[in-house]
């Protein structure tokens, strides 16, 4: 997302008329009923107009910039986002119904791309997935911005649910698919559920990256987890 960083443009001191129009549009938008809002979205899709892509990117980047500057998610207003992006509030409302919907798109944008799986074996793919989880954990520890976003998300149930639906759940399904492939190929035992095995593999990494921020994230942690899962916890003969 940082590849398309836009300079923050200050509001034009002479733009009193534009600001008055934006204020009126914002007030009218907030007064709309849910049915009217859906009707507007059907008539004018949020995405798909090439000439608006730059404005949309500027808005998303403005939210990221403000969060990086330490502004809490709950303190961001549409007016401040618009001022930082150098657009009018009406430009934002034409694309998003409000802050919650805008933040959901920001969450999608700041997520790193999923790793390319080697495909040589199920165990190799699982190792790649766990290593990606470890790196995301390291990034969150070193970035006040990412930490702030995660903390704010957890305090907002709708955002947290949407984050799980669009990010966490697809990752879990992808790992489950690899586990099932490992069962079919004979790399993993077939007398346990794929869901349990997935939990046993991802659980230790999630615990260390999300719930115990002070835990070590060794370079070979993915290998340690897979080896422990395959060999079990019984003492060696």
């Amino acid at each position: 997302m940082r590849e398309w960083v836009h300079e923050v443009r200050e509001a034009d001191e002479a733009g009193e008329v534009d600001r008055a129009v934006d204020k009126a549009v914002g007030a009218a938008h907030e007064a709309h009923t849910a049915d009217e809002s859906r009707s507007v979205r059907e008539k004018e899709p949020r995405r798909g107009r090439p000439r608006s892509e730059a404005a949309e990117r500027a808005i998303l980047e403005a939210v990221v910039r403000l969060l990086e500057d330490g502004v809490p998610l709950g303190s961001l207003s549409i007016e401040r986002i618009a001022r930082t992006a150098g657009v009018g509030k009406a430009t934002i409302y034409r694309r998003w119904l409000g802050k919650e919907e805008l933040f959901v798109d920001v969450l999608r944008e700041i997520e790193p791309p999923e790793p390319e799986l080697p495909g040589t074996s199920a165990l190799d793919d699982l190792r790649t997935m766990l290593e990606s989880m470890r790196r995301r954990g390291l990034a969150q520890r070193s970035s006040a911005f990412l930490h702030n976003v995660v903390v704010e998300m957890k305090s907002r149930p709708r955002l947290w649910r949407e984050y799980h639906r669009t990010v966490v759940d697809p990752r879990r399904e992808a790992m489950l698919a690899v586990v099932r492939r490992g069962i079919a190929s004979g790399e993993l035992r077939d007398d346990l559920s794929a869901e349990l095995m997935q939990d046993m593999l991802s659980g230790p990494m999630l615990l260390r990256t999300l719930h115990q921020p002070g835990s070590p994230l060794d370079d070979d942690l993915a290998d340690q987890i897979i080896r422990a899962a395959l060999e079990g916890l019984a003492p060696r003969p």
Side-chain angles (χ1 to χ4, degrees):
M1 185 171 183
R2 302 298 299 171
E3 295 178 359
W4 25 268
V5 173
H6 293 265
E7 271 190 47
V8 176
R9 288 172 286 181
E10 297 296 331
D12 185 358
E13 295 180 358
E16 297 296 335
V17 174
D18 289 340
R19 281 194 290 271
V21 171
D22 289 338
K23 184 176 181 180
V25 171
H29 172 274
E30 293 170 359
H32 281 173
T33 64
D35 289 341
E36 289 172 333
S37 297
R38 283 193 294 270
S39 175
V40 170
R41 295 182 72 194
E42 291 172 359
K43 293 177 181 178
E44 185 176 5
R46 181 164 57 82
R47 296 182 183 274
R49 297 194 305 170
R51 70 171 182 268
S52 70
E53 183 177 351
E56 186 166 303
R57 292 296 190 185
I59 294 164
L60 293 172
E61 180 61 26
V63 176
V64 174
R65 278 179 168 237
L66 290 168
L67 292 173
E68 286 180 333
D69 289 341
V71 180
L73 197 64
S75 299
L76 290 181
S77 65
I78 292 295
E79 183 176 4
R80 186 170 186 179
I81 294 169
R83 185 169 63 249
T84 303
V87 301
K89 288 195 295 183
T91 303
I92 296 178
Y93 283 131
R94 277 197 296 269
R95 292 159 177 79
W96 294 278
L97 294 180
K99 289 196 302 182
E100 293 287 318
E101 191 184 46
L102 169 56
F103 293 160
V104 166
D105 273 2
V106 171
L107 293 181
R108 294 192 187 102
E109 292 289 344
I110 65 177
E111 278 295 322
E114 293 303 309
E116 183 176 349
L117 301 180
T120 52
S121 70
L123 291 179
D124 285 342
D125 287 353
L126 288 171
R127 187 176 291 106
T128 299
M129 289 176 159
L130 290 174
E131 173 62 13
S132 178
M133 292 170 62
R134 187 185 74 89
R135 290 181 177 275
R136 285 197 298 271
L138 287 171
Q140 184 177 324
R141 288 184 183 184
S142 62
S143 170
F145 161 62
L146 291 177
H147 178 74
N148 179 31
V149 169
V150 171
V151 170
E152 291 281 352
M153 277 196 303
K154 289 181 177 179
S155 67
R156 293 171 172 269
R158 181 182 177 277
L159 274 181
W160 192 238
R161 287 195 303 270
E162 189 66 13
Y163 176 75
H164 273 258
R165 187 184 71 80
T166 60
V167 177
V168 177
D169 291 347
R171 284 176 181 159
R172 177 176 173 79
E173 288 301 319
M175 184 172 283
L176 272 174
V178 175
V179 169
R180 293 187 181 108
R181 179 157 55 86
I183 294 173
S185 66
E187 296 175 78
L188 298 172
R189 57 192 292 180
D190 60 2
D191 59 338
L192 294 176
S193 72
E195 288 77 9
L196 177 59
M197 285 193 275
Q198 194 270 349
D199 289 342
M200 292 176 66
L201 290 166
S202 62
M205 191 68 79
L206 290 173
L207 182 67
R208 291 196 177 192
T209 56
L210 294 180
H211 305 298
Q212 294 180 347
S215 299
L217 294 174
D218 302 329
D219 291 345
D220 64 340
L221 182 57
D223 285 315
Q224 292 182 46
I225 292 173
I226 291 176
R227 185 165 58 250
L230 292 179
E231 296 177 1
L233 301 179
R236 295 181 179 278

